[in-house]
Amino acid sequence: MNTAENWRPLELTPSGTGADATPAGLVEYIGQAGLAELLVREKALVFRGFGVSSGSYDTVADALLPQRLAYVHGNSPRTKVAAVGKNVYTSTEYAPEYQISLHNEMSYAHQWPGRLLFYCDRAPSTGGATPVVDGQLWLESIDPAIREAFAGGVRYTQNLHGGHGLGKSWQDTFETEDRAQVEAFLAGAGADWKWKSDGTLWITQVGPGTLRHPVSGTEVWFNQADQFHVAGLGEDAALLMELMSEDEMPQAASYADGTPIPAEHIIHIQEAGLRHAVDVNWNAGDLLLIDNILVGHGRRPYTGNRRVLVAMSD
């Protein structure tokens, strides 16, 4: 069993598990492994050498994800890949030269997936690892004064355009063209929203700063303040702030009461996570299953035709 200081994902192979080196062998092993308990204990699992292809992915994913979820209210640019399986998406479609900072998927939303399953359809030529971090270690490595500042949570603000503009449209974000359906979703989420005259949907809601896992009780760092805050988004976002106010930005973050988060706090949080991150390098056919509360994830820059797909479940 991993301890906090030397944590890394548990790697499972045919030779290590005694399972056949086939997708069917992996499915059989999953059915016998006590997956739910294993995942909570180890926090992340890497499956290698089972020959999983895009044609066999759906059957394997059914065994690993109890109920695959649509990426509704998802903030990242993705494409749905229906040919591979139900509710399967490309991983975040940012340019390969950029690093994606560590985060827990949809921690800004009122509901988030409990599990994420990554699948390497095509390996990168260089780079492109998925760094993962133990959320408890991340929390403990953040300055206590900053942790205290986040105790009340994070206020996230989004401006989702109606078809033309920066960032994602509300149609892509909610996978619908129906305004009433979006409004019903947001009402259930306890969010505040309004439609602007140009068709933009403005949304604001408060999420947690930290979270306790429902099974283990472990408290972890759990928010996406750095991915919504301009200080965490690089030079391009900083230049954008010279052209528009924070209220007009596609996304922004503050403390729950609206107090601005200092840029140095955002940088400290990102650096603290990266100090403890462990890279998962990809070969075609590999799978990475993570507990989305216990583990944060990101992406290293890469070259080549990398294609990593992701699916989510509760």
Side-chain angles (χ1 to χ4, degrees):
M1 179 177 175
N2 286 313
T3 60
E5 288 72 22
N6 69 357
W7 178 84
R8 62 185 308 106
L10 177 65
E11 186 167 310
L12 298 166
T13 63
S15 61
T17 60
D20 289 341
T22 62
L26 176 54
V27 170
E28 183 178 2
Y29 170 78
I30 292 165
Q32 299 170 352
L35 182 67
E37 295 79 7
L38 181 64
L39 184 59
V40 170
R41 185 173 75 242
E42 301 294 341
K43 305 180 182 181
L45 307 172
V46 179
F47 301 93
R48 300 193 194 275
F50 290 95
V52 179
S53 66
S54 57
S56 57
Y57 167 88
D58 212 33
T59 300
V60 174
D62 280 344
L64 290 168
L65 300 178
Q67 181 179 342
R68 268 180 271 176
L69 302 172
Y71 188 56
V72 175
H73 201 183
N75 190 55
S76 297
R78 303 180 189 274
T79 301
K80 207 166 191 175
V81 189
V84 175
K86 179 183 178 183
N87 289 335
V88 180
Y89 300 82
T90 56
S91 55
T92 302
E93 295 173 354
Y94 288 153
E97 62 267 26
Y98 293 115
Q99 175 153 292
I100 298 174
S101 62
L102 295 160
H103 61 285
N104 302 82
E105 198 64 47
M106 297 185 70
S107 53
Y108 55 84
H110 79 296
Q111 288 185 319
W112 41 79
R115 296 179 184 178
L116 303 182
L117 177 63
F118 297 90
Y119 163 66
C120 182
D121 188 36
R122 290 193 299 266
S125 299
T126 64
T130 295
V132 289
V133 64
D134 182 325
Q136 180 182 7
L137 261 180
W138 193 2
L139 173 64
E140 292 171 351
S141 67
I142 293 170
D143 183 280
I146 296 178
R147 295 202 304 263
E148 180 61 28
F150 277 83
V154 178
R155 179 170 293 279
Y156 301 98
T157 301
Q158 295 172 282
N159 284 291
L160 304 173
H161 63 78
H164 301 284
L166 295 170
K168 290 184 73 173
S169 69
W170 64 263
Q171 296 94 328
D172 286 342
T173 298
F174 294 98
E175 296 190 4
T176 182
E177 298 277 344
D178 187 342
R179 286 193 177 198
Q181 186 175 333
V182 173
E183 291 174 357
F185 179 93
L186 293 172
D192 294 322
W193 78 92
K194 63 183 177 184
W195 297 98
K196 296 184 176 181
S197 59
D198 64 356
T200 295
L201 174 61
W202 175 89
I203 305 169
T204 187
Q205 62 188 127
V206 174
T210 68
L211 194 68
R212 289 195 178 274
H213 191 272
V215 176
S216 70
T218 303
E219 186 179 13
V220 299
W221 188 250
F222 192 83
N223 64 78
Q224 270 175 258
D226 72 294
Q227 291 201 330
F228 275 66
H229 194 289
V230 66
L233 298 175
E235 295 179 0
D236 290 345
L239 291 172
L240 194 60
M241 281 288 286
E242 297 178 5
L243 303 176
M244 60 178 61
S245 70
E246 187 169 333
D247 286 342
E248 297 171 317
M249 293 281 284
Q251 57 196 42
S254 66
Y255 291 122
D257 62 1
T259 302
I261 302 172
E264 57 267 28
H265 288 192
I266 295 297
I267 301 304
H268 171 81
I269 289 162
Q270 288 186 328
E271 291 177 347
L274 284 171
R275 280 199 305 273
H276 296 288
V278 177
D279 282 352
V280 176
N281 293 300
W282 291 111
N283 299 305
D286 290 348
L287 297 157
L288 167 64
L289 180 69
I290 69 173
D291 185 303
N292 185 47
I293 296 175
L294 294 174
V295 172
H297 68 279
R299 190 201 70 189
R300 301 291 190 188
Y302 67 93
T303 65
N305 198 21
R306 179 187 190 271
R307 180 161 131 128
V308 174
L309 306 180
V310 63
M312 313 170 196
S313 76
D314 51 15

